[in-house]
Amino acid sequence: MTAIVLHDMGAHRESTRWFHTAGRAAAESGDRDLHAWVLGREAMVPLNFGAAAVAGQITEQARAVAAGRATAATALVTVVAARAHAARGDRAAALSAIDEAEGLLSRLPSDQAADTWFGYPEQKHHVHLSQALTLLGETRRAYASQDRALQLSRRPSVMTRSLIALDRAACLAHNGERGEAARIAGRAYDELPAAHRQGLTRTRARSVYAAVSGVPDAQRLREVLEAAA
């Protein structure tokens, strides 16, 4: 849990150290599901901070540990692998992993699909799927996952809603609607509490800004990014 909080704060080196400790403890315990889950969560650190190749290596290790069982951990590492492949530009591998994750979700028993720290509920699936499909430029499918994730998200889920909005902005920019993309991204980032404007959300917002930085509507996004620096 400490590693995850540090990751969300943008302290990726500290987060990685905590994940390594958790991974060793999980491996020593003999709990393959816990070990795979820790590795899947660890892979999100390099994935979210620009090291997709490293994330891919970790997810492959995690998938080997998970051994294809229909568990929440297997579904998680599979969809994170899809994101890593998408970030590296390996379209075929990403789409294959997405299909596999969809199949796993449909086979999960109710306790594995529960909305808990170690579960893999449909809402969590669509949040990850949104990012993978956005990176692939599969905007129609990405929009559908974004809509479904929002339907399933609890109102207090500020981070989730902001990340989905930033994915939507990236899709709009990909489709040439750069003004609307800038407005959505600027509003989503501006509405975040100050403590949430670092780490993952800042990385995503900067990525959107890079795609829209010539349009007048990008001014507000630039201002809030500068204010959070």
Side-chain angles (χ1 to χ4, degrees):
M1 302 312 161
T2 300
I4 291 168
V5 171
L6 287 166
H7 163 258
D8 289 346
M9 292 171 59
H12 52 276
R13 291 185 180 86
E14 285 297 314
S15 176
T16 297
R17 283 195 280 269
W18 279 87
F19 272 123
H20 286 175
T21 300
R24 285 194 298 272
E28 290 170 4
S29 76
D31 187 334
R32 294 175 69 88
D33 285 338
L34 178 60
H35 190 193
W37 185 88
V38 170
L39 289 169
R41 294 294 317 218
E42 180 186 348
M44 293 184 209
V45 180
L47 178 59
N48 289 329
F49 293 99
V54 175
Q57 293 168 4
I58 298 172
T59 58
E60 289 310 306
Q61 180 186 355
R63 293 176 83 179
V65 171
R69 298 186 303 277
T71 66
T74 307
L76 175 68
V77 300
T78 303
V79 82
V80 174
R83 288 177 54 191
H85 290 311
R88 292 167 55 201
D90 190 339
R91 185 177 187 82
L95 290 172
S96 176
I98 287 171
D99 288 343
E100 186 178 342
E102 296 265 60
L104 283 164
L105 179 68
S106 70
R107 304 200 320 269
L108 288 182
S110 58
D111 64 318
Q112 296 291 309
D115 188 5
T116 63
W117 272 98
F118 298 103
Y120 189 76
E122 185 185 355
Q123 182 266 357
K124 186 181 296 184
H125 175 72
H126 283 291
V127 171
H128 286 293
L129 207 58
S130 167
Q131 173 63 186
L133 292 166
T134 296
L135 291 170
L136 290 170
E138 292 276 343
T139 56
R140 183 176 298 180
R141 292 179 67 187
Y143 289 145
S145 275
Q146 290 156 20
D147 289 342
R148 184 60 179 152
L150 287 173
Q151 289 172 2
L152 296 168
S153 294
R154 296 190 181 98
R155 185 173 296 277
S157 186
V158 176
M159 179 78 80
T160 296
R161 289 178 180 276
S162 297
L163 291 174
I164 291 171
L166 291 168
D167 277 353
R168 185 169 293 267
C171 287
L172 288 164
H174 176 83
N175 289 342
E177 299 178 61
R178 298 171 67 216
E180 181 65 11
R183 286 191 291 274
I184 288 176
R187 184 167 58 249
Y189 195 65
D190 194 23
E191 289 175 352
L192 279 168
H196 291 270
R197 293 185 187 174
Q198 299 297 328
L200 179 54
T201 55
R202 181 171 176 80
T203 299
R204 297 271 183 91
R206 289 179 65 183
S207 177
V208 174
Y209 179 72
V212 301
S213 64
V215 302
D217 291 301
Q219 176 68 20
R220 182 55 187 159
L221 177 56
R222 186 180 74 177
E223 289 172 356
V224 291
L225 280 167
E226 289 175 350

